[in-house]
Amino acid sequence: FQNHAMTKVDKNQFRIVLGSSWPEDEALLLGALIKIKNEVPHVFSKLQVIVAPQDVSRVDQVIKKFSELYSNHEMQKWSFRSKNQPANFVVIDHLGVLAGLYAFSNLTFIGSGKGGVHNTMEPALFEAPIVFRETYEKYAEAHDLLEHKKANIVLSVSDLSLEILDSFALVEKTKLVFDVKPPVLPSFVPKSVLDMNWS
């Protein structure tokens, strides 16, 4: 695992951001990615996965888990980022950048802990598809997103892999590029995110 270089974001990559993740979310995503790699390898080769664990002390656990799928040189940490080296898998190892990363996501998977799904409003600002597990009952905003078809529930590896493939196909078909910065970015998008090469 390489710490010395972080990531250039390639415009040809389809970005999946898993925000505020718990082990259950990571296991679901890992299973979906393995399924896609086995069944649709040309799609897998174009995916960039960004995982922001809810507890940053778990970063090494996340890296170990996803090393089943990615080699050491493909996995990099945000703290050691570089504008010039691509990465297929990025783990966020400190606080303060996740909300800004949602602005550059093609598909956002919001993590769910014991208390339910985490903040759905930050990613909802940015139009990209949103998914989360079924633990949303307490949150009116999550219900609203589902009601207005701005989010979907994923209950299984198959559900999540289908959401990834559907969103990927939409981008490919329409040539929509969600990684273009909105004209006015909210103030919570940190400079470290804006400084990355997103084109």
Side-chain angles (χ1 to χ4, degrees):
F1 183 80
Q2 296 183 355
N3 282 345
H4 64 273
M6 198 18 214
T7 184
K8 172 184 177 181
V9 180
D10 188 331
K11 66 181 179 181
N12 294 315
Q13 288 179 309
F14 178 94
R15 267 185 302 288
I16 301 166
V17 175
L18 170 54
S20 300
S21 67
W22 291 71
E24 296 85 353
D25 307 306
E26 296 148 13
L28 194 60
L29 178 58
L30 178 61
L33 292 172
I34 291 172
K35 182 176 174 66
I36 291 169
K37 184 177 183 179
N38 290 337
E39 297 178 3
V40 203
H42 74 279
V43 172
F44 179 79
S45 69
K46 295 183 178 180
L47 302 181
Q48 182 187 53
V49 177
I50 302 175
V51 175
Q54 189 272 339
D55 178 359
V56 294
S57 70
R58 294 184 51 251
V59 163
D60 288 339
Q61 295 175 31
V62 173
I63 291 166
K64 183 177 180 181
K65 183 179 297 184
F66 282 86
S67 65
E68 175 182 346
L69 195 58
Y70 296 100
S71 61
N72 285 347
H73 73 274
E74 294 176 302
M75 303 175 71
Q76 299 176 345
K77 289 182 180 179
W78 178 261
S79 288
F80 299 90
R81 64 191 179 278
S82 163
K83 295 182 181 180
N84 300 313
Q85 182 168 330
N88 295 327
F89 182 87
V90 180
V91 63
I92 307 303
D93 55 350
H94 68 93
L95 302 176
V97 298
L98 175 59
L101 288 170
Y102 287 141
F104 304 96
S105 176
N106 296 97
L107 176 69
T108 299
F109 180 10
I110 306 172
S112 300
K114 294 179 181 178
V117 66
H118 287 277
N119 189 334
T120 59
M121 298 310 295
E122 288 174 349
L125 293 171
F126 299 110
E127 296 304 315
I130 294 170
V131 297
F132 43 82
R133 293 189 292 119
E134 68 272 26
T135 53
Y136 64 92
E137 293 84 357
K138 302 178 190 175
Y139 302 96
E141 62 272 20
H143 284 275
D144 289 343
L145 287 171
L146 292 168
E147 182 179 347
H148 291 91
K149 302 188 185 303
K150 300 296 185 182
N152 285 322
I153 298 297
V154 288
L155 301 175
S156 66
V157 163
S158 293
D159 285 350
L160 183 53
S161 62
L162 185 59
E163 290 288 343
I164 294 170
L165 292 174
D166 283 351
S167 296
F168 179 88
L170 176 64
V171 172
E172 291 288 295
K173 180 179 179 180
T174 63
K175 304 302 180 184
L176 291 175
V177 181
F178 292 117
D179 63 2
V180 174
K181 298 172 191 174
V184 179
L185 284 169
S187 60
F188 59 69
V189 179
K191 187 175 185 300
S192 61
V193 173
L194 297 179
D195 282 346
M196 295 305 297
N197 184 349
W198 298 99
S199 59

